[in-house]
Amino acid sequence: MIEKIISSLLSYGLDKGLFHKRDVIYVKNAYIELFKLKECEVILEKNSYEYSDDILQEAWEYAQNNNLESSIGETKDIACTKIMSVMLPFPSVVETAFYQMEKAHGIKSALNHYYHLSIASNYIKMRDILKNIGWKSETEYGNLEITINLSKPEKDPKEIAKALTATNSSYPLCLLCTENEGFSGDFNKPARQNHRIIELELLGELWYFQYSPYVYYQEHSIVLSGRHKPMVISELTFRKLFAFLERVPHYMVGSNADLPIVGGSILSHEHFQAGNYEFPMFRAEKIAEYSNNSHPNLRITLLKWPMSVIRLIGCKESCIQLGSEILAAWRNYSDKEMQILSHTGETPHNTITPILRRLETGEYSFDLVLRNNRQTAEHPLGLFHPHSEHHHIKKENIGLIEVMGLAILPGRLENEVGEIENLLNYPEKMPSEALFAHGEWILYLKKNYTKIESSKAFVQAEIGKKFLKVLENCGVFPQTQLGAIHFDKFLKTLNLERIHK
């Protein structure tokens, strides 16, 4: 069986371009050592695997059955990553190939090759990602996109037990540190021996590019600082976003905010997120236009969007200059009627989520989403954060991806939603304990379900409405007449005048 497994691994690696035919004997010998063999006869056949998952599953089962966990890895993630790493080139080889392809064929070709390498190496576990459940929900703001995320790996009970007694290390400092490249992993941190990153320079600073292992959208990528330093939103941040887009003009790029509650899950390491994807917010209608004498050629609009977004369209310097002025003004802006306070004592609350892309005209579209992380007695997790009545669907921070209209919902909802759909079809059934958190919502669904459409379509539409409410909770100026008046009041502090048509 092990000979068949190693033959399949070699055939897969050759087909995917992970190594050359000249390297077959070398890679085979590496597997002989890894699996504690004396010899191994291999037969190279046409590869029949699109992804490596099935081969790796067989290899992991062989390792378990032959007590090889101590040499290969004590968890499936660690073992499978180590098995794949045997046939991968060094980071410098991957990087050199990237630069050569970029020079010869352009950045699109280089990124495409690197993206498929990240999939073939099983760093991006595409088969797991394809299990994600997704749909579109029609709203007054256009279609929102909903995803139930099933691709993040879950530890089995044995791994959880071992993690409790394992020695915790501070290396690498976080999941975005460059030290993750080649890291063998442990019970508390994922293995990254199949991980390769690309060095790039932004404004004289050393940064790196990689794809996200979870790929929440097309070519979902991360641009990360070479230094472990906290997230920050500033004029320099804006300039780095533009510098990246000048290198990769067909991508969008944005940054999570730099404050807790309204920021992403990793605030300790400066990074951006990018990709080749059109988010729902990009298609949002404009509801107001403004002008500014200092930047007469800049188009300034407010969007019909559940969150508070200022869009600047024009040249690089005008976008950066006015964007920086908006950021500076917002940092210290308070509006008690809207419950917006810029500070509590010395603690700041206001920040911005910036998003940048290049239009077909060659102009830049620079979206500035106003954020506030103030907490109140009624909303202790955040006033402009998902409110408690929606926590059964979404409790986590609303970061960059969701700001743009793509919901990433927890995997637990797959089974829970299925059971709720069943309850609508068979109301006499008793809900399981797992549905207790959905109690009030289930009563609402039963009351409003007419059976004109399937229970699945009905529940999905209602989840879309929940996500919309979550985004509206996060908007500092609501999409109401009063909200528009107060948004306009803020913009007037920047000498922005509304254009009346």
Side-chain angles (χ1 to χ4, degrees):
M1 182 178 178
I2 190 58
E3 291 181 340
K4 179 180 179 298
I5 291 170
I6 293 175
S7 295
S8 296
L9 285 167
L10 292 172
S11 298
Y12 175 87
L14 274 175
D15 181 53
K16 300 298 182 181
L18 301 181
F19 59 91
H20 297 285
K21 195 169 184 179
R22 169 68 179 81
D23 303 318
V24 168
I25 294 173
Y26 180 91
V27 176
K28 181 187 78 169
N29 283 333
Y31 281 128
I32 287 174
E33 179 186 11
L34 185 64
F35 288 101
K36 305 295 182 184
L37 306 174
K38 296 294 184 184
E39 59 184 358
C40 179
E41 291 296 325
V42 299
I43 301 174
L44 296 180
E45 297 178 333
K46 184 177 180 181
N47 173 49
S48 59
Y49 297 95
E50 185 175 3
Y51 308 117
S52 61
D53 305 67
D54 289 339
I55 318 173
L56 293 173
Q57 178 63 34
E58 291 177 4
W60 169 237
E61 290 174 0
Y62 176 87
Q64 286 182 303
N65 293 335
N66 290 273
N67 301 314
L68 295 174
E69 292 99 320
S70 59
S71 61
I72 293 182
E74 293 191 74
T75 72
K76 182 181 177 182
D77 175 60
I78 292 173
C80 292
T81 303
K82 189 170 187 176
I83 291 166
M84 286 305 301
S85 72
V86 167
M87 64 175 95
L88 295 182
F90 279 114
S92 60
V93 175
V94 173
E95 201 169 71
T96 299
F98 180 91
Y99 295 147
Q100 289 175 343
M101 187 165 289
E102 180 183 16
K103 185 176 181 180
H105 304 289
I107 189 65
K108 284 186 179 181
S109 294
L111 287 171
N112 185 60
H113 181 267
Y114 174 55
Y115 182 62
H116 284 93
L117 171 70
S118 300
I119 295 172
S121 69
N122 205 43
Y123 172 69
I124 297 175
K125 295 177 174 59
M126 188 56 72
R127 177 174 283 182
D128 289 340
I129 291 163
L130 293 174
K131 296 175 184 176
N132 290 345
I133 300 168
W135 68 90
K136 294 182 180 180
S137 284
E138 188 176 338
T139 75
E140 61 188 285
Y141 302 98
N143 286 336
L144 297 178
E145 298 178 8
I146 315 296
T147 300
I148 296 178
N149 176 37
L150 304 176
S151 60
K152 276 198 174 183
E154 294 185 7
K155 292 182 178 179
D156 66 33
K158 290 182 180 179
E159 291 177 14
I160 294 171
K162 287 181 179 179
L164 292 174
T165 58
T167 302
N168 204 4
S169 168
S170 61
Y171 181 89
L173 284 174
C174 78
L175 292 174
L176 295 180
C177 284
T178 56
E179 288 81 5
N180 283 282
E181 188 178 42
F183 180 60
S184 61
D186 57 35
F187 288 110
N188 295 301
K189 294 176 182 175
R192 290 288 184 257
Q193 287 175 305
N194 57 350
H195 184 33
R196 302 291 183 266
I197 59 180
I198 304 296
E199 183 180 309
L200 58 89
E201 183 184 292
L202 294 182
L203 303 182
E205 290 185 14
L206 183 60
W207 282 61
Y208 291 86
F209 177 90
Q210 67 174 65
Y211 284 105
S212 166
Y214 305 116
V215 192
Y216 292 141
Y217 53 87
Q218 186 174 322
E219 295 174 50
H220 179 192
S221 42
I222 301 171
V223 189
L224 55 100
S225 172
R227 292 171 52 211
H228 181 80
K229 58 180 181 177
M231 295 285 290
V232 62
I233 300 297
S234 65
E235 179 181 338
L236 182 59
T237 307
F238 297 166
R239 292 193 177 278
K240 289 173 185 174
L241 292 172
F242 276 86
F244 174 78
L245 211 63
E246 287 172 344
R247 178 80 178 267
V248 191
H250 65 292
Y251 271 21
M252 54 70 54
V253 64
S255 174
N256 269 308
D258 54 355
L259 295 179
I261 298 174
V262 295
S265 58
I266 301 178
L267 290 172
S268 61
H269 196 123
E270 187 178 13
H271 67 284
F272 309 140
Q273 295 188 71
N276 188 14
Y277 194 66
E278 183 181 51
F279 285 89
M281 193 179 81
F282 298 167
R283 300 186 290 270
E285 300 174 12
K286 62 183 180 183
I287 55 172
E289 294 184 64
Y290 287 78
S291 64
N292 179 265
N293 291 334
S294 299
H295 305 283
N297 296 322
L298 202 59
R299 301 201 298 282
I300 308 161
T301 61
L302 301 186
L303 300 186
K304 184 179 180 181
W305 193 246
M307 297 186 70
S308 306
V309 188
I310 304 167
R311 175 167 291 168
L312 311 180
I313 297 178
C315 71
K316 170 184 170 180
E317 279 305 316
S318 290
C319 284
I320 290 174
Q321 288 174 21
L322 184 55
S324 300
E325 291 171 20
I326 291 170
L327 174 64
W330 178 245
R331 288 285 194 194
N332 295 293
Y333 187 79
S334 294
D335 185 331
K336 290 185 178 179
E337 191 173 349
M338 292 286 101
Q339 301 188 68
I340 299 168
L341 296 181
S342 67
H343 292 77
T344 299
E346 297 297 315
T347 303
H349 296 310
N350 287 354
T351 184
I352 276 176
T353 300
I355 302 149
L356 180 66
R357 58 202 169 99
R358 197 163 189 170
L359 305 178
E360 291 182 357
T361 60
E363 296 174 299
Y364 290 99
S365 176
F366 194 28
D367 291 342
L368 304 168
V369 188
L370 306 183
R371 312 298 303 273
N372 178 286
N373 78 341
R374 181 175 167 238
Q375 297 162 281
T376 66
E378 184 182 0
H379 301 289
L381 296 183
L383 174 60
F384 302 104
H385 177 83
H387 290 178
S388 58
E389 64 268 27
H390 309 307
H391 287 178
H392 64 106
I393 296 293
K394 181 68 178 179
K395 185 178 182 180
E396 298 80 10
N397 294 352
I398 297 303
L400 172 68
I401 296 172
E402 286 162 320
V403 162
M404 297 184 286
L406 172 57
I408 310 297
L409 302 181
R412 62 173 171 80
L413 287 176
E414 178 190 22
N415 293 329
E416 294 172 8
V417 166
E419 188 179 347
I420 290 170
E421 292 168 7
N422 201 34
L423 285 175
L424 294 179
N425 293 323
Y426 303 97
E428 70 281 359
K429 285 194 171 185
M430 291 294 293
S432 70
E433 189 175 334
L435 296 189
F436 285 2
H438 301 288
E440 290 187 17
W441 189 53
I442 291 172
L443 292 176
Y444 164 84
L445 294 178
K446 285 183 174 181
K447 183 179 178 181
N448 289 276
Y449 181 47
T450 61
K451 296 190 177 182
I452 294 174
E453 57 187 335
S454 70
S455 59
K456 179 177 181 178
F458 174 71
V459 173
Q460 285 186 346
E462 292 298 325
I463 291 174
K465 292 177 184 177
K466 278 281 183 181
F467 179 53
L468 173 57
K469 289 294 183 185
V470 161
L471 292 182
E472 289 177 335
N473 288 163
C474 299
V476 293
F477 296 113
Q479 288 279 350
T480 62
Q481 186 175 4
L482 181 63
I485 291 170
H486 283 264
F487 206 160
D488 187 70
K489 181 181 173 183
F490 166 65
L491 295 175
K492 283 182 177 177
T493 67
L494 289 149
N495 296 317
L496 298 181
E497 293 297 327
R498 185 162 184 163
I499 300 172
H500 297 280
K501 292 186 178 181

